[in-house]
Each structure stands twice: as structure tokens, then as C-alpha cells.
Amino acid sequence: MTNDLVNVIRCSNLDALFDCTPSVIGDGGLVRINTAGEQAALGKVVHALAGRYIEEGRFEVKSECNRRGFEDEEEVSGLMNYVVRSWDELRRSFPNPQVERVIKSNVIETPAGNFRIEGTADVLSAVGDTGAVFADWKTGYADDGYHNQMFGYAYCIWNVMGRPENAEILGIVAFLRHRYYRVVKYTAKTLAEWEYDLIHNVLSRVNVYRPGKHCTHCPIYHTCDARKAETSGTVQALMLPNNLPANDPYRKFVERVTSLMASVTPDNKNQPDMIELTSQLRFRVKLVEKAVDDARELLRKTVERVGPMPLDNGYELALREIVQRVLDPVKAITVLRKHLSDAEIFDCMKASLPSLLAKKAGKFTRGEKKAAREQLEKELEAAGAITVVRRKRLEEVEPGSEQSNEPE
Ligand code: SF4
């Protein structure tokens, strides 16, 4: 690489970069455009309000939502409750808070090109000559996958400070939906180690593809040959293993996972190879599911565009309008009661508890909605109208986390 072009990597893309370098850096070291890390409308509203609260000590949800055309004021208020609570605890640690502060690293020179890390710290404050503290508000549902993004902010701040050897930087990531925050300490040593890893194990491997569950958010998902090979190899090995040579890696994987799963017990399930294979199978299942969803969508879009598509069995694939006759329960009830008992009628109807509670809450103003929902729920429970149905589904959860017994 001989030119002086400096490619900018956003902090919000760093976790994707560490997962699989080519998902962020393309040919010639050019950083791919990826909007996945950009804030959605809700994030923009909450960040603007949080900044105002920190700078002015007050904020107005309604006017900010109106200004940005965002309708769900209740959701914004819920998240802002935790901004206020956490900031009131944290403000002592931020002697000179600056909001929405843009931070940039020095240029990082590598054989693959010259790079700079950039980000916007939601709140940043210097602490003495060699210290700093920053905070990042998270409005989404995930409370993991931000390790390298946070390192990126700390690294930029360290660079802005002139890379002092006794630097101590605190990073706070606040998960507003989950109502907790994590504090991570960064030192010159940990930041130099991260920089080494970034240069030697990440930026120097722009041609090393690492398919995984992160593929589903990748900007080159549809064209990536590594991901396609992973998906097609897995599908083939699952469907027709004997059509593959005995030493095919996908066939060997499926055989290994099948035999290990057959032998797993509660006592040996924590073995590293079992953990690795379970994770590998899970991400492959997700890739295959996405491939199936994409194929279904492709068929649908094609038929929408060109009309029915002939099939080799003499039939054709077509979009057919399904006409459903929808019953108005208010008008129907007097007629139905002449023919059926109440138990028989309601047996045929499906009333959704969440939508009934939302309907009730919709009659109240903000601040009263929650109480209205709770009151209706209490009365329904007292009348014995709510039955809790338990079912099981596969989910990724934190080790040792308590199972919530709250119905959804
Ligand atoms: S699709 Fe997967 S393997 Fe391919 S570049 Fe993206 S993250 Fe890497």
C-alpha cells in the first residue's frame, strides 16, 4: 500500500472487524459502508435528550419526539428514566462532562493500508492530567457485543491525551432497557495490547474470512463466498452426508457433532469440544435458516414481478389472494348467543392479553398507562381469566442467569 489515504473505521464497527476483518475492510484496504451500527430513530431521540439532561439538567420528551417525528413517547420516557437514575449516580465521576464529543485516534499504519479509528463519546470528561471517563448509552435489546467498540473509544481518548504511560480511562456502558451499567478500566498497558492485536491479528488479515453468527449482519452477506461455502457445505452434509467424500470437513463436522450430542450428559456437557461444537452447530443452523428465508423471499419477489412460474411437475408457483371473512364480535354476539353457549363461542375466539392491555392503556394519558394496564390485569387475574401456559424454546442466555417466571 503506497498511497496516503487514511481509511476511517467507526468504533461501532470494531466488534464486526474483530469477528471477521473482511466484513469491514474490502479490496485495497477500503472500509466498507455499513449502516448497521448507526443509531435508529429511538436512539437519536434518547441520545439528544440524555445530552440535554446532562448539560441543562432537564429535558422534554414530547417536544423532542415531535421534532423528530417519533411516536412512542412512552418508550422514550422509560429509557430516559434510567438515563436520569444512572447519571445522577455517575455525575460525580465526570468533573467536566462534554456530550457527543467526537474522538479520533492517530493514523495506524499497516501493510493493508492506513487507518484511523473514530467515534462519538456520548459523555466524556477529563480527570486530572492522565485520566478520563466516558459513557455510552445503549438503547437496544442486546447487552453484549460491545467489547471492542468500548476499547475503540478508550483508545481514541488515549491518543487524544497524547498516549500517556500512566493513563487510566474508565468506560461506562449503560444498558437502558436492562437498567444496569458496566464499568471497565483501561490502562496504557491494556490499550497498547489491544492496539497490537488490532494491527497484527485483525488489520493484517484482510483476506481471512471467519464465518459465524455475525455473518447475518454483514454488508457483504449475499456475495461472500466463505459464507456461501459454509452454508452450502453444512446443508449438503446434513441432507446427503454420503454424497460427500469421507474427509469433507462439513461431513466430518456433522458426524462429529452427531456422535458427541449422542454421548453428552449433564456431567460432561461443559467440556470445551462440546461447547465449541454446540456453538458451531447453532451458528450454522442460523445461516441455513437465513438462506431458506432468503430463498423463499426470492421466489415470492420473482412471482410478484413476472407472474406464475411453471414447475417441472406440471403445476406452477403462483401468488393467490386469500380471502378471509372477518367477524365483527360486537355485531355477531347477539346472533351467536341464539345458537351457541358462551363457552362454545369464546372457545372459537382468540383474545390476546397484550393487545387487550394495550387497548386499555391507550385510553389513558402518559404516566397513567402503566397503572391502567396493571389494574385490568389484576381484575382479570382475580376473575380467574388468565391462565399461564408454559412452553420451552431455545434461547441464548447468560450462564447461571435466573429463569424469569414472568409471562411474556
Ligand atoms: S459474510 Fe461472514 S464470513 Fe463473509 S465477510 Fe461477512 S462476516 Fe465474514
Side-chain angles (χ1 to χ4, degrees):
M1 194 79 188
T2 50
N3 65 37
D4 296 331
L5 181 74
V6 176
N7 288 293
V8 174
I9 301 172
R10 301 286 307 166
C11 289
S12 54
N13 283 331
L14 282 168
D15 286 281
L17 181 78
F18 275 73
D19 282 337
C20 180
T21 311
S23 72
V24 175
I25 297 175
D27 292 340
L30 289 177
V31 174
R32 299 184 197 283
I33 295 170
N34 185 359
T35 53
E38 287 182 8
Q39 280 175 7
L42 171 69
K44 287 183 181 157
V45 175
V46 170
H47 280 76
L49 291 170
R52 201 151 308 138
Y53 182 62
I54 290 163
E55 285 182 328
E56 300 169 16
R58 63 192 169 80
F59 60 88
E60 175 52 59
V61 172
K62 195 174 185 56
S63 60
E64 189 64 35
C65 286
N66 287 344
R67 199 167 75 77
R68 292 177 185 264
F70 190 78
E71 288 184 357
D72 198 340
E73 291 174 28
E74 200 172 351
E75 186 171 25
V76 173
S77 298
L79 297 177
M80 283 306 296
N81 277 344
Y82 192 66
V83 170
V84 171
R85 205 182 108 189
S86 53
W87 180 247
D88 290 349
E89 280 173 26
L90 293 167
R91 65 169 78 233
R92 284 188 307 276
S93 309
F94 288 77
N96 304 295
Q98 295 176 290
V99 302
E100 302 285 322
R101 171 77 196 274
V102 174
I103 40 178
K104 301 178 183 184
S105 75
N106 300 341
V107 174
I108 303 166
E109 293 181 7
T110 79
N114 298 331
F115 298 95
R116 189 199 298 284
I117 312 288
E118 278 189 27
T120 304
D122 292 337
V123 202
L124 172 64
S125 175
V127 181
D129 292 336
T130 58
V133 55
F134 68 96
D136 195 41
W137 310 117
K138 295 289 181 211
T139 56
Y141 289 90
D143 64 345
D144 64 359
Y146 302 111
H147 173 81
N148 289 299
Q149 181 182 6
M150 293 296 282
F151 249 108
Y153 291 133
Y155 179 73
C156 292
I157 294 165
W158 184 48
N159 277 250
V160 171
M161 290 161 68
R163 300 169 67 108
E165 283 182 9
N166 54 348
E168 202 172 283
I169 298 167
L170 285 187
I172 296 158
V173 54
F175 300 103
L176 306 181
R177 272 178 207 281
H178 302 270
R179 304 185 70 78
Y180 79 95
Y181 55 80
R182 278 187 207 136
V183 183
V184 187
K185 187 165 106 178
Y186 304 90
T187 62
K189 182 171 177 290
T190 58
L191 290 165
E193 285 167 0
W194 184 81
E195 180 187 57
Y196 184 92
D197 197 21
L198 174 70
I199 294 171
H200 297 276
N201 298 325
V202 179
L203 293 176
S204 65
R205 296 188 179 178
V206 289
N207 294 319
V208 179
Y209 289 78
R210 284 186 288 249
K213 62 179 180 180
H214 42 268
C215 289
T216 47
H217 305 295
C218 179
I220 59 163
Y221 170 87
H222 289 286
T223 54
C224 175
D225 288 337
R227 191 276 307 164
K228 284 185 202 164
E230 204 69 27
T231 311
S232 60
T234 305
V235 170
Q236 213 179 348
L238 286 169
M239 291 176 70
L240 298 164
N242 295 335
N243 281 11
L244 294 169
N247 64 352
D248 178 86
Y250 300 104
R251 177 173 171 175
K252 281 164 73 176
F253 166 75
V254 170
E255 284 170 357
R256 209 167 143 232
V257 84
T258 308
S259 97
L260 261 176
M261 292 273 163
S263 64
V264 71
T265 67
D267 297 327
N268 69 11
K269 67 178 183 181
N270 293 323
Q271 286 175 5
D273 51 351
M274 189 59 76
I275 292 170
E276 193 207 322
L277 280 178
T278 307
S279 312
Q280 293 268 324
L281 183 61
R282 177 143 174 84
F283 101 67
R284 285 183 162 86
V285 166
K286 284 193 166 181
L287 283 186
V288 173
E289 280 174 351
K290 179 149 172 54
V292 171
D293 287 348
D294 288 349
R296 197 174 284 126
E297 193 55 21
L298 177 66
L299 284 172
R300 185 188 169 82
K301 287 229 164 90
T302 308
V303 172
E304 262 173 9
R305 189 164 52 81
V306 302
M309 296 282 292
L311 298 171
D312 61 5
N313 58 2
Y315 285 72
E316 58 183 20
L317 197 61
L319 280 172
R320 286 278 177 266
E321 195 176 7
I322 309 289
V323 181
Q324 283 182 312
R325 302 203 311 147
V326 180
L327 190 71
D328 180 334
V330 177
K331 291 177 184 156
I333 196 75
T334 27
V335 179
L336 290 172
R337 279 196 167 131
K338 288 187 210 157
H339 301 270
L340 300 165
S341 70
D342 280 0
E344 286 168 329
I345 294 169
F346 292 115
D347 203 30
C348 304
M349 291 186 175
K350 203 172 154 196
S352 143
L353 181 59
S355 56
L356 287 168
L357 294 176
K359 184 71 78 183
K360 171 77 179 173
K363 297 180 178 183
F364 289 79
T365 56
R366 191 156 58 84
E368 298 172 339
K369 289 177 189 286
K370 190 165 176 259
R373 261 196 311 260
E374 283 172 359
Q375 179 58 31
L376 174 57
E377 202 167 354
K378 219 159 111 189
E379 285 181 35
L380 288 168
E381 268 167 4
I386 295 178
T387 310
V388 178
V389 179
R390 293 176 195 278
R391 61 198 164 86
K392 297 208 169 181
R393 70 177 175 205
L394 277 177
E395 275 188 5
E396 286 185 26
V397 298
E398 290 215 21
S401 59
E402 292 284 316
Q403 167 155 11
S404 166
N405 288 321
E406 289 293 311
E408 289 172 355

